[in-house]
Amino acid sequence: MSKLALALAPTVFLSVAFSDQSFAETRPLSEINQKTEARIQHEISNRDRRCYKYILRDFRSRRIKLSDILVTFDDPEVDGIGVGISETDENYSCEHGEMRAWEGGKYEVVKTFP
């Protein structure tokens, strides 16, 4: 499980405990179909969409397998989307137009998208 998912896990469990309406979902990119991808694209801001595409282009240029790229979405506690590589410490989120690198439950803003 990615560190981003681990960092978000307590939030997810609390959200589920107090709300039966929504919870975070983490899936390998290889399992995300066109319908889910369209929903993700629709639910995030233009700035976060540019961030998300930027990360995916980087991962693809590095030939990371789609099954190793984890995408976290529909998290009521996160205003954006999470992307990481399974079995590594490389985890990012795109929130409020910021690409955030996560480590130890804390983030550093790596890049901003206008």
Side-chain angles (χ1 to χ4, degrees), residues 12-74:
V12 172
F13 292 125
L14 286 174
S15 310
V16 171
F18 293 105
S19 170
D20 59 346
Q21 294 176 351
S22 62
F23 57 93
E25 188 166 348
T26 301
R27 287 194 200 171
L29 189 59
S30 61
E31 293 180 11
I32 295 179
N33 60 27
Q34 286 181 333
K35 183 178 177 181
T36 304
E37 181 66 27
R39 190 178 91 219
I40 291 169
Q41 296 281 335
H42 178 73
E43 291 177 354
I44 60 177
S45 71
N46 286 333
R47 294 170 63 199
D48 290 342
R49 190 174 305 119
R50 285 192 293 274
C51 172
Y52 174 61
K53 289 179 180 181
Y54 177 87
I55 294 169
L56 293 183
R57 274 193 305 271
D58 174 57
F59 286 178
R60 287 179 180 143
S61 73
R62 292 166 38 199
R63 301 183 194 274
I64 307 295
K65 293 187 306 185
L66 296 181
S67 59
D68 288 338
I69 299 172
L70 300 177
V71 180
T72 302
F73 54 98
D74 285 345

Side-chain angles (χ1 to χ4, degrees), residues 71-109:
V71 180
T72 302
F73 54 98
D74 285 345
D75 187 338
E77 300 295 320
V78 176
D79 187 18
I81 190 164
V83 186
I85 302 173
S86 66
E87 306 297 324
T88 72
D89 293 339
E90 195 166 351
N91 299 291
Y92 303 94
S93 67
C94 298
E95 299 179 65
H96 306 287
E98 296 176 339
M99 179 176 149
R100 301 174 179 181
W102 288 86
E103 188 172 333
K106 297 182 181 189
Y107 71 86
E108 177 182 330
V109 175

